[in-house]
Amino acid sequence: MKTPYEKFLKETIKLAEKGKGLVSPNPMVGAIVVKGKRVLGKGFHQIYGGPHAEVEALRQAGERAKGATLFVNLEPCCHYGKTPPCTDMIISYGIKEVVSCMEDPNPLVNGKGFKILEENGIKVRVGWLREEAEELNRSYITYITKRRPYVVLKWAQSIDGKIATYSGDSKWITSEKSRQIWRMKRFEYDGIVVGINTVLKDNPYLDFIPPHYQTKKRLIEKKRYYKIVLDTHLRIPTDANIFKNEKSKVLIFTSSKTPDSSVERLKLKNCEIIKVGEDNGKIKIKEVLEKLFQLEIGIIIVEGGKEVITSFWEEKIVDEVIVFIGNKIIGGENSLSPIGGKDIEDIDKVIKIDEICMERIDSDILIIGKPCFQE
């Protein structure tokens, strides 16, 4: 049975979504101040490092917030980070009740925010629309609990499951509309990962198309966006297209054995060279993710090529897959599949994809789902 709280909590989730692509690795949060049935203030977390949703809503409500109820999709923070604790402001504004969807999994909060509010005479109610709130912030929850970015694999393939012909030709398997939509979707991620072979073969820019229709230009200009290249032997050319947009920083992961002389030639580029371990000539994915976590990169999209996608898949470090299927059949025993690795003998041991969503785009099909790795 629906409660009076659900209407406003649904609105907080809707508000929170406006921060997608801008607040990571922080959570997306929306807040509403209500007295009776009257909304006094609304807010959402707009940009990483900026004011939290509760602050925006309370400032809008002003003195009218005294005795009101604060609705918020995530537990208010109670510690000093890039901004002061939201709990302090909630108390100072005289809020009498806080209604929330879920606790914050961050160990610095995780129930402590609610406890502080209750100790200061504020009634706390929590648990409505929990699943919706968790789904909204699934990347944040992964970042906090697993101490690594949320990892999404993306590729485009033919109907028969091929990403390129035997010669490596893949332009274009999908329609222009699908490619345009994807360049806009990149905005939702903190970083995009490719291997050096993709850079050498396709020389991509890896840029996103900003969503001007819903996001203010001043916020887009503050967006954190990294182009990440796995390059064991540091073969990347200094004139590669990924260096041309200086608003995006390039992170290049190379082997710890790479000589400093190779690093020196890239010192004038807008990039950072990070040395990590290698195994049989391949960059160690777990070390890459550890470094990305330290850089506060909360969600990444892995676009290829086959070796890079396979590396993440074999490590079972994949939270979501996004597959565009074009209206083509490539055929051929030597044409390329998206994922290689070890052969599987028994069909009951293959990886299933759950929570599947499908959409048609012109003559293409978009499939999004979550892999169920067997532990």
Side-chain angles (χ1 to χ4, degrees):
M1 185 175 70
K2 286 188 176 181
T3 71
Y5 303 127
E6 290 191 18
K7 172 187 173 183
F8 294 115
L9 288 176
K10 280 185 179 292
E11 182 65 20
T12 67
I13 291 173
K14 188 175 180 181
L15 281 168
E17 288 176 340
K18 293 183 177 182
K20 184 174 288 187
L22 294 167
V23 302
S24 179
N26 287 349
M28 290 177 276
V29 183
I32 303 176
V33 179
V34 179
K35 187 177 287 185
K37 295 183 178 180
R38 187 181 176 192
V39 174
L40 305 176
K42 294 182 179 183
F44 68 97
H45 187 28
Q46 297 185 36
I47 192 74
Y48 176 70
H52 288 187
E54 299 93 325
V55 173
E56 297 281 359
L58 288 168
R59 284 176 178 169
Q60 192 178 110
E63 295 180 357
R64 298 174 299 167
K66 187 173 183 179
T69 297
L70 175 69
F71 291 87
V72 60
N73 60 296
L74 185 70
E75 178 179 6
C77 69
C78 56
H79 64 97
Y80 279 90
K82 288 182 168 55
T83 58
C86 289
T87 49
D88 289 357
M89 191 169 186
I90 293 168
I91 294 165
S92 69
Y93 269 68
I95 290 291
K96 72 170 184 179
E97 182 180 35
V98 171
V99 182
S100 182
C101 298
M102 60 178 286
E103 299 83 0
D104 189 333
N106 189 333
L108 296 173
V109 188
N110 200 14
K112 299 183 184 74
F114 290 144
K115 184 178 179 181
I116 289 171
L117 295 174
E118 289 178 323
E119 288 174 347
N120 283 271
I122 298 173
K123 189 173 185 62
V124 172
R125 302 177 190 270
V126 60
W128 287 272
L129 303 182
R130 183 184 295 274
E131 289 185 5
E132 291 92 330
E134 288 177 347
E135 178 62 22
L136 172 72
N137 277 311
R138 63 191 184 279
S139 61
Y140 168 71
I141 294 170
T142 297
Y143 177 81
I144 288 295
T145 60
K146 297 186 178 181
R147 298 181 64 80
R148 64 163 174 81
Y150 186 88
V151 177
V152 180
L153 300 190
K154 176 267 175 182
W155 66 84
Q157 67 176 50
S158 61
I159 291 174
D160 57 335
K162 306 298 183 180
I163 60 171
T165 65
Y166 77 93
S167 66
D169 185 15
S170 60
K171 292 185 177 180
W172 296 102
I173 289 176
T174 55
S175 66
E176 171 59 29
K177 185 174 181 180
S178 288
R179 299 195 298 275
Q180 185 84 351
I181 286 172
W182 179 247
R183 286 192 289 270
M184 293 177 68
K185 287 284 288 182
R186 281 177 178 167
F187 179 81
E188 298 177 7
Y189 300 90
D190 299 341
I192 180 170
V193 181
V194 297
I196 182 58
N197 289 332
T198 296
V199 175
L200 295 175
K201 176 180 172 293
D202 298 334
N203 197 19
Y205 289 87
L206 301 181
D207 291 319
F208 61 83
I209 297 175
H212 291 298
Y213 60 90
Q214 65 179 11
T215 305
K216 295 177 181 177
K217 185 177 179 181
R218 65 176 177 81
L219 296 178
I220 292 174
E221 290 176 347
K222 292 181 179 180
K223 175 176 169 57
R224 301 164 72 242
Y225 185 72
Y226 296 85
K227 299 172 184 178
I228 304 161
V229 182
L230 307 187
D231 185 0
T232 306
H233 305 295
L234 207 57
R235 295 183 290 151
I236 190 166
T238 55
D239 61 351
N241 286 336
I242 62 169
F243 293 123
K244 293 185 178 178
N245 183 354
E246 295 190 355
K247 291 182 179 179
S248 304
K249 187 167 184 177
V250 178
L251 302 178
I252 303 174
F253 286 88
T254 191
S255 168
S256 56
K257 300 175 184 178
T258 298
D260 291 339
S261 57
S262 296
V263 175
E264 184 70 14
R265 70 184 178 86
L266 294 165
K267 69 177 183 178
L268 297 180
K269 293 295 177 181
N270 180 36
C271 70
E272 181 178 352
I273 312 297
I274 303 173
K275 292 186 177 182
V276 293
E278 65 169 272
D279 187 10
N280 294 323
K282 295 181 179 180
I283 295 293
K284 290 186 176 180
I285 298 300
K286 288 184 178 179
E287 289 191 25
V288 170
L289 294 176
E290 287 173 6
K291 295 292 185 181
L292 295 181
F293 176 81
Q294 293 167 11
L295 290 169
E296 299 183 315
I297 294 173
I299 178 169
I300 58 172
I301 182 78
V302 182
E303 288 205 21
K306 178 178 179 176
E307 287 187 12
V308 173
I309 289 175
T310 300
S311 295
F312 279 86
W313 189 261
E314 289 196 315
E315 290 284 356
K316 298 182 179 180
I317 308 177
V318 180
D319 300 294
E320 192 173 312
V321 294
I322 296 177
V323 183
F324 286 86
I325 302 177
N327 66 335
K328 297 176 178 67
I329 291 179
I330 294 176
E333 293 183 3
N334 296 315
S335 53
L336 304 180
S337 300
I339 298 177
K342 299 176 182 177
D343 291 322
I344 296 177
E345 183 176 356
D346 301 321
I347 195 68
D348 62 349
K349 293 182 180 178
V350 303
I351 307 304
K352 296 179 181 178
I353 304 298
D354 202 1
E355 299 181 43
I356 286 180
C357 297
M358 298 179 66
E359 179 183 348
R360 183 168 178 174
I361 304 171
D362 282 348
S363 57
D364 303 332
I365 296 174
L366 168 61
I367 297 178
I368 301 174
K370 297 176 183 177
C372 302
F373 290 106
Q374 301 171 9
E375 299 298 335

